[in-house]
């Protein structure tokens, strides 16, 4: 399997498959057809089969997919069969909400350090974290084997923080700041921004009115 | 221009173009090359030209794109040249954070009503909102010309809330609940879920280690 051949749009959909399959498992459903899976994912059965074909043959013709097997395979493909460690930069209102969000931990993403550029925040305690200064980022990233940086600083500071993270060998950025970050091609950025999501929605809504 | 021909992945990228172009305008940059735009968007110049080619010819060969013109055109294509009204369902900790988020209003998305299924919340005040009961949703959606529903209820309640929104002619769902919502094909769902974003990131990070 060579990921270069897998279109990014397919990779972006795989977590939705994982979620849908997890739901089916929790409903004790053992086998699912591409038709049923399509219903859960707003996709046609043909799209489902095409997406999964990038990773080998998961279903038997006319038999549907084994839910547990497909779920485990996709989790492995996505690298979800291990723990990933992240640091948070920015412990304002948003950063505190992120630290307290139980969803990360539940899915094997662990925030293991919190930083802030504001000296007034450094040394304060949030949950189990002692907020550290940006000067400590280099050592902490190495010591705690951090591979993901979560950026929750104001827009004006975001690019600078992202640059520092990349200098310290962070390859994945989860960016909550409403900016188009400038990063090298080998860095993976995901923007969490409800406005971006709404703006790609209205393209379709506009036509329905 | 027929949107049926535009791949969804292109539509999903257009808000990123809008953001990058807005940043360029704020830096008083009048003309941008596909090379420069690619640098901001982690895309190749060829991908940029291909994306924009779905909507006509925006650039002159060798001249680059007029930033202001391209920005305005893309805003119009996305339907961002008007106000969109949304209602929020769920006024717990997350719902309150959503109401207080300034980004929506700044970009012409207005939350105009807030609902909660919990009788104890109904009648309470959050910012300028009087929390309404779900029984009032039908009338309020019509009265206030609401086209988008923002779902911030716990996972177990999300599908039911989404069903009610769709029954009331809401076509766009911004879903913060960690569930794979079952909706008809003509409904546009956007999931705001940092875990989904991280799970599509690790596919790439896994290979870098």
């Amino acid at each position: 399997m060579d990921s270069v051949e897998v279109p990014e749009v397919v990779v972006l959909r795989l977590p939705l498959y994982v979620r849908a399959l997890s739901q089916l498992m929790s409903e004790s459903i053992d086998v699912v057809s591409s038709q049923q899976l399509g219903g859960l994912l707003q996709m046609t059965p043909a799209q489902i089969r095409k997406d999964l074909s990038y990773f080998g043959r998961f279903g038997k013709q006319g038999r549907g997919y084994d839910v547990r097997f497909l779920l485990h395979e996709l989790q492995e493909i996505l690298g979800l069969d291990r723990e990933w460690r992240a640091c948070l930069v920015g412990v304002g209102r948003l950063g505190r909400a992120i630290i307290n969000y139980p969803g990360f931990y539940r899915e094997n993403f662990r925030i293991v350090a919190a930083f802030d550029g504001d000296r007034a925040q450094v040394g304060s305690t949030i949950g189990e974290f002692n907020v550290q200064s940006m000067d400590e980022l280099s050592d902490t990233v190495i010591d705690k084997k951090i591979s993901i940086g979560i950026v929750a600083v104001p827009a004006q500071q975001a690019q600078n923080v992202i640059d520092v993270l990349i200098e310290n060998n962070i390859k994945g950025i989860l960016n909550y700041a409403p900016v188009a970050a400038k990063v090298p091609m080998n860095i993976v950025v995901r923007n969490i921004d409800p406005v971006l999501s709404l703006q790609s929605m209205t393209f379709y809504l506009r036509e329905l009115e």
Side-chain angles (χ1 to χ4, degrees), chain A:
Chain A
M1 187 189 68
D2 182 357
S3 76
V4 176
E5 296 170 11
V6 184
E8 188 181 16
V9 61
V10 175
V11 176
L12 289 171
R13 274 199 290 264
L14 291 187
L16 296 170
Y17 283 83
V18 167
R19 172 157 297 167
L21 290 163
S22 301
Q23 277 181 221
L24 292 171
M25 268 214 15
S26 73
E27 294 163 16
S28 302
I29 294 169
D30 296 329
V31 178
V32 66
S33 66
S34 44
Q35 191 83 42
Q36 290 167 312
L37 206 47
L40 280 173
L41 294 168
Q42 278 199 304
M43 294 170 62
T44 65
Q47 283 177 306
I48 303 260
R49 286 190 295 265
K50 175 132 196 276
D51 277 7
L52 296 179
S53 73
Y54 286 103
F55 309 100
R57 290 176 59 90
F58 289 118
K60 295 211 181 77
Q61 198 64 39
R63 291 277 311 275
Y65 300 102
D66 182 303
V67 171
R68 181 186 301 265
F69 176 73
L70 182 56
L71 176 58
H72 286 180
E73 290 291 310
L74 293 181
Q75 285 173 327
E76 198 182 311
I77 287 166
L78 286 170
L80 306 180
D81 49 353
R82 50 161 282 192
E83 175 182 281
W84 292 91
R85 292 167 172 222
C87 64
L88 172 74
V89 184
V91 298
R93 187 195 278 209
L94 175 61
R96 283 159 199 265
I98 292 167
I99 283 182
N100 289 314
Y101 177 62
F104 292 126
Y105 189 78
R106 205 186 291 139
E107 301 289 344
N108 251 350
F109 292 97
R110 269 189 69 201
I111 299 176
V112 295
F115 302 94
D116 203 294
D118 178 2
R119 293 259 155 217
Q121 294 281 7
V122 174
S124 68
T125 305
I126 301 174
E128 55 180 304
F129 297 101
N130 200 9
V131 178
Q132 297 176 265
S133 106
M134 292 297 284
D135 300 338
E136 300 172 68
L137 194 136
S138 285
D139 289 342
T140 307
V141 162
I142 295 168
D143 291 349
K144 298 200 167 171
K145 300 188 169 59
I146 294 169
S147 43
I148 297 170
I150 303 177
V151 178
V153 298
Q156 324 74 274
Q157 296 161 31
Q159 183 65 50
N160 182 37
V161 164
I162 288 167
D163 291 343
V164 171
L165 288 167
I166 293 171
E167 278 161 27
N168 284 288
N169 211 29
I170 296 290
K171 303 288 190 220
I173 307 277
L174 190 68
N175 176 35
Y176 282 84
V179 296
K182 293 168 199 142
V183 302
M185 277 286 184
N186 67 326
I187 303 297
V188 189
V189 178
R190 297 283 179 257
N191 295 297
I192 302 291
D193 185 339
V195 169
L196 291 176
S197 299
L198 287 172
Q199 289 178 331
S200 74
M201 182 191 278
T202 49
F203 177 81
Y204 298 103
L205 297 184
R206 205 192 39 148
E207 310 211 321
L208 295 170
E209 296 201 327

